[in-house]
Amino acid sequence: MSAAGDGEDGAAAAAADTVVLEITDAAASPSSAPPPPPIPVSALAGPLPSPTVLAVRADRSRLIESSSYFRALLGGSFSESGSGYVRISCDLGAAVQVLRYLFEPPGSFAISHHNFLPLLEGALFLAVESLLVDCERWFRTVRSRNPSMVVPLDFIIEAWFFAQKHGVTFVEDVCPGYLAQNFVQVISSRSFVHIPYDLLCSTIESPHLTVDSEKQLCEAILSWISASRQSCEQSVSNSADNQLSLLSKVRVCLLPLGFAAGTKRNCFEFGNNAACMILNLLKDSLQTLLYTVTDDNLDSYRIRLTEYSKKIVLSGCPQLTTQFLYISALPTDLDAVFKRTIVSDVNDGCLNHYNGLVKKAKTLSFRNVRIVDLSKCPNVHFGAAILWMKWAFPELRTFIASYCLLFQFEDLQYLLLRCPWINEINLSIDTSVILSKYSIISSRSEVRRDVNQNLSSYYMQSGLYGTSVNPVFSNISKLILEGRNDITDMNLLEISMLKSSLCYINIKHCTLLTDDGISTLLLNCRKMHSMILSYTSFGNHSIQTLCSLDPSDGFSYHKDEHAHVMAFRLQELHLEGCEGISCAAMSQLVSNMNIVKSLCLRETSLADGALCNFVGSSLEYLDISETVVSMVSFAPVIRRNSNLSCLKTAGCRNLLFEQGEVQSTSGNKYGRFLQEITSTCYLEDVEMGWAFCPVRVDDLIPSFSKVRRMTVGLGTTLPENILHALPEICPFLESLVLRFQVISDRVVRNLLESSTNLQVLCLHYCLGSLTSFSFQTMAPALRILRLQWVTPWITNDDLTILTQNCNLVELLLSGCKLLDSNSQEIISSGWPNLACLQLEECGQITLDGVDSILDCKALEEVLLRHTGRGIGRTIITDAIRELPLLRKLALDLCDASEGGYDTPNVPEGKMMRSVRMSRCKKSAAAARSCFVEASSSSSNPKPVQHRETIVLEWSSRQLTTAVVEERL
């Protein structure tokens, strides 16, 4: 409402063609106080004289020209039209923003998320048409800008509520699309759970919805539902309907199997239906897709790809085949016959229609995609997948296919030829269980009958088969081949063709490689600065190559003489378990590494003589576990490297001694181990044993205040006051491993209650009075629990309580002899997303078979030893068939109900890496049970000694059967 005023000020203002606007905030309580004196419009940019009422002197003509409201009020037939003083009641902040917009120079006033809503409200109330146009233009421009999430989510939510209240359609149109294209950033905001249902629903339905994976979308919806259940804003019935509606928009056939199974904990019906659909797809996905193409209903099977997509993560989806990849990038207007042809051809490994596909679908390329992850997708035909990536993602930079055992070296070559712009490749698999230190009694190998024998003929279709990689066009800088023990020196020689770009290589556990082969790679790839060579034959020859002069390098004029060698430029070097390095060669290598940041010499010949030659001061990661170094060489290294965040010294007994094998430099005194590390470092990852002997809590504060991962083992016993104070000492602790420590209920319960970030808890061979009370508390963050010979009292009731208090993905129990066959059902129903299950000496769990264990469809690793003589002969075949993600299986012949197990060469699944079967020493007692007969002087039976282990190990090409004289 408005009213005219009088007086000398009003007359003067009218004479000068100005008007004084007295603006009262509509939300303020009425006041009898006189209005403040008028201020010019130019003063609105500063602090206001009053938060509830304001008098502003403004140009009458400009107001009439710009606003329909003022045009009617000041230029119409109202009584105020001739007055120089007008009263207005509205939102004071909105009116101020509108006046600034009208009267400030365009260059000095800009619309932003800070003033957009006041401007929009003021523009609507005062009918400023030009401002409404500018507001709409700015808001639509926000969505089209390149930087993601240029405005806060809180602002979008507030704008949505405002638009619904005032009927602003352009805001309602833009908000869902903006949230959809920035959904990855949206879900990381704390305000995500406050998004109203209708806005979230519209966002998910938007064709621009951009997510890294369907799992990411489902996780976001479940977190929103969880928050919604805790609020009382909606009725129970409406809330349930909304939750079901949101979950129905998830494309469940694209969810990882383990994740889908895990949702049964909180949304049983949804999770059970999702897992069943995925398992049905595994049986015959091709026929399902062909029917879907015919019905023109492919949306449920399309991977969400948009112009804003940057990462495509399909990890853990064994149901996915190459057809899923292709139909996701097919144009929607292609006819059904052509789609069926593509689906059929991809399945047959024939790509005669590939050129036609590219021609018809050339507009469907997604240039923003930088990362594709196909890990644990065993049913993808990688030759066809490589062509899909070449066509769909011309700017792809990172390709990940870890745990894809059937990805062969020919596939890698083809990938390098077809997609030379990629600069990172990860093809890691599980490492071999057979280490060089084990005694192998016998071994034989045979070609896998399920391997693709026609791989070369498939690639010949492209005309590129047999073509060498052109190093000029290669961009590969990082290559991970960890665990691929079928890689040979010849393959490594072909990899060395990447010499112009390769900087990082991981060939850990590639056991067929020789020292000469690795040396040749280093000789060719002189740009290499990061190498993970653990458990390979890396030795003296390779060290000579690293430490030899390189006349072609760019450091030829460096003042440091070591700069002329390749070792000088190393930033990361891991040599764990490399036994072929002499002490002299180790000393030579260490003395040349000046700028290394990550160094692992675990289980090597490293000694004081070598470590004393190390002069680097850039270390961030150091692992010298299981070596013979002492404080005389270790202390100077710690003092020089103040940036050290990870330190591992487990098994270093000589750290207890005052002198090592070399004499301390004159005047170079050093303190105890703990004194040295706490006076220099702020660690985040520690693994310690010998010489790590804190007594007071203050010994570890503040140097351990950033620790996230801690392992304490043999060689020290932490006092209870330290263990109990760990949540206070390490407030960010995520992983704790204790070996041979004395623990109590008080310690364990306090850890679970106070360490809110604790995800991993491992207790191995610990002593103390631990009872079931320890685990009768909620631990929502805990994911991995390993209890090895510390909880013999665990019963089914204790297991049930554990399932209620924590959501585990890995469980290891040893020595829990009170468990029985009912324990299987408790484990499988309580933790449906369990990926790793290891049970040893656990009563009679498998006495009646393993049916409930096979119901844990997410299992990737299973170990059952001395758990009851009820495991059937076909357990290996059954496990592979029922557990699509299973990679490692360990059994004991003592548990075989029929005396042994069948060992198939051709597993139905393609994920299986190894099967281990341990067998005990033959004796009359062992024939009757897993324990030798108790002697008259002992009331407790002794665990039987295992004689050997039969190992079946699959690689990309062959099956190796070995008998090892160890218990693996």
Side-chain angles (χ1 to χ4, degrees):
M1 60 182 295
S2 58
D6 53 13
E8 295 181 0
D9 286 342
D17 199 25
T18 60
V19 62
V20 174
L21 304 177
E22 182 185 312
I23 308 171
T24 302
D25 194 280
S29 302
S31 174
S32 58
I39 61 173
V41 172
S42 59
L44 293 177
L48 300 180
S50 170
T52 57
V53 63
L54 183 69
V56 181
R57 188 180 299 108
D59 182 90
R60 178 190 296 268
S61 300
R62 183 69 180 272
L63 292 173
I64 294 174
E65 177 186 344
S66 304
S67 165
S68 298
Y69 177 90
F70 285 119
R71 192 177 304 125
L73 184 64
L74 301 179
S77 58
F78 291 100
S79 59
E80 292 89 340
S81 60
S83 173
Y85 198 99
V86 176
R87 293 188 177 92
I88 301 173
S89 178
C90 64
D91 184 278
L92 181 60
V96 167
Q97 292 297 327
V98 171
L99 292 175
R100 290 187 60 194
Y101 167 82
L102 293 176
F103 291 96
E104 288 187 15
S108 62
F109 184 84
I111 301 176
S112 70
H113 69 270
H114 298 292
N115 61 13
F116 172 78
L117 288 177
L119 281 172
L120 183 58
E121 182 176 0
L124 290 171
F125 183 83
L126 299 175
V128 183
E129 293 84 357
S130 61
L131 179 54
L132 286 171
V133 171
D134 285 347
C135 283
E136 180 175 356
R137 182 185 299 115
W138 178 85
F139 199 71
R140 293 189 182 278
T141 302
V142 165
R143 177 180 167 183
S144 62
R145 294 179 186 175
N146 288 329
S148 298
M149 284 300 289
V150 293
V151 296
L153 178 57
D154 288 334
F155 164 74
I156 295 295
I157 295 174
E158 189 178 358
W160 175 264
F161 282 125
F162 179 89
Q164 286 195 315
K165 180 179 179 180
H166 296 89
V168 186
T169 56
F170 76 84
V171 171
E172 293 180 294
D173 292 341
V174 171
C175 282
Y178 176 79
L179 294 185
Q181 73 186 54
N182 294 291
F183 198 74
V184 175
Q185 290 75 35
V186 168
I187 60 179
S188 63
S189 170
R190 292 183 178 181
S191 300
F192 172 74
V193 295
H194 301 305
I195 296 178
Y197 166 77
D198 47 359
L199 175 56
L200 181 60
C201 193
S202 299
T203 298
I204 296 173
E205 292 174 345
S206 171
H208 301 292
L209 180 64
T210 303
V211 290
D212 295 343
S213 65
E214 203 68 19
K215 172 188 174 183
Q216 189 179 57
L217 173 61
C218 190
E219 283 179 325
I221 292 175
L222 290 174
S223 69
W224 187 92
I225 289 175
S226 177
S228 176
R229 287 173 177 172
Q230 296 174 12
S231 67
C232 302
E233 297 175 0
Q234 306 179 57
S235 68
V236 175
S237 58
N238 288 339
S239 177
D241 291 341
N242 291 346
Q243 293 166 13
L244 291 173
S245 176
L246 288 174
L247 287 173
S248 69
K249 302 180 189 305
V250 176
R251 300 173 182 179
V252 294
C253 62
L254 300 177
L255 291 174
L257 176 57
F259 173 79
T263 59
K264 290 194 287 186
R265 271 181 68 94
N266 299 314
C267 297
F268 180 82
E269 184 177 355
F270 170 79
N272 191 56
N273 291 337
C276 289
M277 179 176 290
I278 292 170
L279 294 172
N280 289 333
L281 273 175
L282 276 166
K283 296 175 183 177
D284 192 358
S285 62
L286 175 61
Q287 202 59 43
T288 301
L289 290 177
L290 289 175
Y291 284 141
T292 305
V293 169
T294 302
D295 297 338
D296 198 22
N297 186 27
L298 284 175
D299 285 348
S300 297
Y301 300 90
R302 287 181 181 271
I303 302 163
R304 298 182 193 267
L305 294 172
T306 72
E307 60 182 299
Y308 310 104
S309 297
K310 296 180 180 179
K311 182 189 297 185
I312 306 300
V313 179
L314 302 171
S315 177
C317 297
Q319 73 276 16
L320 290 189
T321 60
T322 320
Q323 292 87 344
F324 283 84
L325 309 183
Y326 274 78
I327 64 175
S328 302
L330 288 176
T332 55
D333 57 352
L334 286 181
D335 60 86
V337 176
F338 187 78
K339 291 178 182 178
R340 285 179 61 89
T341 303
I342 288 296
V343 170
S344 300
D345 285 358
V346 170
N347 182 69
D348 296 336
C350 173
L351 292 177
N352 294 327
H353 296 270
Y354 176 69
N355 291 331
L357 174 63
V358 172
K359 192 172 183 179
K360 286 192 175 185
K362 61 182 179 181
T363 57
L364 282 186
S365 60
F366 305 91
R367 294 188 171 274
N368 287 321
V369 172
R370 296 293 185 270
I371 301 174
V372 169
D373 187 351
L374 295 177
S375 300
K376 302 178 187 176
C377 294
N379 291 308
V380 168
H381 187 293
F382 284 102
I386 290 168
L387 292 178
W388 170 70
M389 291 189 295
K390 175 184 183 298
W391 156 53
F393 312 125
E395 300 295 330
L396 186 66
R397 293 295 178 266
T398 300
F399 174 63
I400 306 172
S402 56
Y403 304 107
C404 293
L405 191 62
L406 293 183
F407 194 104
Q408 300 182 29
F409 190 78
E410 288 83 354
D411 294 312
L412 174 60
Q413 290 176 298
Y414 194 58
L415 175 63
L416 296 175
L417 289 167
R418 279 295 191 180
C419 307
W421 51 83
I422 290 180
N423 55 36
E424 291 188 18
I425 299 175
N426 184 348
L427 304 176
S428 59
I429 60 174
D430 292 300
T431 57
S432 174
V433 298
I434 305 175
L435 302 180
S436 59
K437 63 183 179 181
Y438 297 143
S439 300
I440 299 177
I441 300 174
S442 64
S443 178
R444 62 182 176 86
S445 299
E446 54 186 303
V447 176
R448 291 182 63 142
R449 291 197 291 271
D450 62 337
V451 74
N452 187 356
Q453 302 293 340
N454 298 316
L455 193 61
S456 60
S457 62
Y458 172 84
Y459 287 142
M460 287 179 68
Q461 298 178 39
S462 69
L464 295 178
Y465 183 75
T467 304
S468 299
V469 176
N470 189 337
V472 175
F473 300 108
S474 172
N475 289 298
I476 291 293
S477 61
K478 186 174 184 178
L479 181 60
I480 301 176
L481 301 172
E482 179 175 331
R484 294 197 169 265
N485 54 346
D486 54 356
I487 296 290
T488 65
D489 283 353
M490 185 59 67
N491 298 143
L492 212 56
L493 184 61
E494 296 181 52
I495 290 173
S496 67
M497 295 294 292
L498 306 172
K499 59 185 178 182
S500 62
S501 58
L502 192 61
C503 301
Y504 177 107
I505 192 165
N506 181 343
I507 49 176
K508 180 179 181 180
H509 275 280
C510 292
T511 52
L512 287 185
L513 300 178
T514 66
D515 190 20
D516 288 341
I518 297 173
S519 174
T520 301
L521 174 72
L522 300 179
L523 190 62
N524 291 328
C525 300
R526 305 300 291 186
K527 290 186 177 181
M528 199 90 71
H529 58 63
S530 298
M531 297 181 290
I532 310 299
L533 307 172
S534 303
Y535 296 102
T536 65
S537 296
F538 177 91
N540 297 344
H541 195 178
S542 297
I543 289 178
Q544 289 301 317
T545 301
L546 284 174
C547 297
S548 61
L549 294 176
D550 180 13
S552 63
D553 69 32
F555 289 87
S556 54
Y557 298 105
H558 199 284
K559 62 181 180 180
D560 193 326
E561 61 180 11
H562 294 294
H564 298 285
V565 302
M566 187 177 178
F568 178 85
R569 300 191 294 273
L570 289 179
Q571 299 176 21
E572 183 174 9
L573 181 64
H574 288 211
L575 301 177
E576 178 181 355
C578 292
E579 300 173 345
I581 306 174
S582 67
C583 292
M586 178 65 76
S587 181
Q588 182 186 17
L589 174 63
V590 170
S591 65
N592 280 282
M593 293 189 296
N594 288 32
I595 62 173
V596 65
K597 295 182 179 180
S598 179
L599 181 61
C600 176
L601 301 175
R602 190 185 191 112
E603 297 180 27
T604 65
S605 60
L606 181 70
D608 284 338
L611 194 56
C612 281
N613 291 330
F614 180 72
V615 295
S617 58
S618 303
L619 281 176
E620 298 173 5
Y621 176 105
L622 177 62
D623 186 351
I624 56 170
S625 301
E626 306 297 338
T627 62
V628 295
V629 299
S630 71
M631 288 300 296
V632 69
S633 61
F634 179 72
V637 173
I638 294 299
R639 291 174 183 175
R640 283 196 309 271
N641 291 273
S642 58
N643 291 327
L644 201 63
S645 60
C646 176
L647 179 61
K648 300 185 179 184
T649 62
C652 294
R653 298 192 179 204
N654 286 357
L655 291 178
L656 287 169
F657 305 146
E658 294 184 0
Q659 292 290 340
E661 63 183 41
V662 297
Q663 293 297 316
S664 176
T665 305
S666 177
N668 180 23
K669 296 182 179 180
Y670 53 85
R672 294 178 298 109
F673 173 80
L674 186 60
Q675 177 185 342
E676 292 291 346
I677 63 174
T678 55
S679 62
T680 306
C681 310
Y682 282 85
L683 299 170
E684 296 181 15
D685 188 351
V686 293
E687 184 177 335
M688 298 173 181
W690 300 96
F692 180 63
C693 304
V695 177
R696 298 174 297 118
V697 172
D698 292 343
D699 291 342
L700 301 178
I701 296 177
S703 58
F704 276 53
S705 61
K706 296 182 179 180
V707 167
R708 296 180 181 274
R709 293 169 296 278
M710 175 182 286
T711 299
V712 180
L714 189 63
T716 188
T717 300
L718 295 185
E720 185 175 16
N721 67 313
I722 297 291
L723 289 172
H724 187 266
L726 277 179
E728 174 190 350
I729 298 170
C730 312
F732 304 108
L733 191 64
E734 298 174 359
S735 173
L736 178 63
V737 180
L738 299 177
R739 293 188 176 95
F740 304 102
Q741 301 300 302
V742 179
I743 56 177
S744 65
D745 284 344
R746 177 172 174 262
V747 167
V748 175
R749 192 175 179 96
N750 185 57
L751 278 168
L752 296 176
E753 290 177 344
S754 303
S755 295
T756 55
N757 298 314
L758 191 66
Q759 300 175 27
V760 179
L761 178 61
C762 305
L763 306 176
H764 302 282
Y765 305 99
C766 292
L767 305 175
S769 55
L770 210 60
T771 71
S772 60
F773 179 72
S774 299
F775 299 97
Q776 293 175 3
T777 183
M778 295 294 293
L782 194 66
R783 294 294 176 267
I784 297 176
L785 180 62
R786 298 173 185 163
L787 303 174
Q788 193 167 15
W789 299 102
V790 293
T791 54
W793 41 261
I794 279 188
T795 64
N796 287 341
D797 290 339
D798 297 322
L799 268 183
T800 302
I801 293 173
L802 265 178
T803 62
Q804 296 167 354
N805 290 338
C806 53
N807 182 15
L808 299 181
V809 297
E810 181 175 331
L811 175 67
L812 184 155
L813 297 176
S814 294
C816 303
K817 298 178 182 178
L818 300 180
L819 299 180
D820 56 31
S821 56
N822 293 325
S823 306
Q824 284 191 45
E825 172 62 26
I826 296 171
I827 292 172
S828 63
S829 60
W831 296 303
N833 55 332
L834 207 61
C836 177
L837 176 63
Q838 298 187 26
L839 304 173
E840 185 171 6
E841 305 288 356
C842 285
Q844 301 296 313
I845 287 183
T846 58
L847 186 62
D848 297 327
V850 293
D851 290 348
S852 293
I853 290 178
L854 297 183
D855 287 337
C856 292
K857 300 301 181 182
L859 280 172
E860 301 176 16
E861 181 176 352
V862 176
L863 183 148
L864 301 171
R865 281 182 173 163
H866 292 179
T867 52
R869 194 183 293 249
I871 301 179
R873 176 172 289 278
T874 60
I875 175 60
I876 299 175
T877 303
D878 294 343
I880 293 173
R881 182 181 62 252
E882 296 295 330
L883 306 175
L885 295 172
L886 187 65
R887 303 195 312 275
K888 294 190 284 186
L889 177 63
L891 303 168
D892 198 304
L893 292 175
C894 298
D895 299 320
S897 61
E898 301 175 62
Y901 308 116
D902 295 334
T903 55
N905 181 353
V906 187
E908 294 181 24
K910 302 173 184 177
M911 295 282 289
M912 184 56 72
R913 173 61 165 150
S914 66
V915 174
R916 290 171 286 159
M917 293 172 284
S918 298
R919 57 188 180 189
C920 305
K921 288 182 178 179
K922 293 182 179 179
S923 68
R928 295 193 299 271
S929 71
C930 294
F931 293 88
V932 297
E933 293 179 343
S935 64
S936 58
S937 61
S938 174
S939 60
N940 296 321
K942 297 179 181 179
V944 75
Q945 296 296 314
H946 285 75
R947 182 180 65 173
E948 56 199 20
T949 302
I950 303 170
V951 179
L952 307 178
E953 189 166 87
W954 286 268
S955 68
S956 64
R957 293 186 175 277
Q958 64 184 22
L959 164 64
T960 299
T961 304
V963 180
V964 181
E965 196 175 7
E966 303 281 348
R967 185 188 187 188
L968 304 184

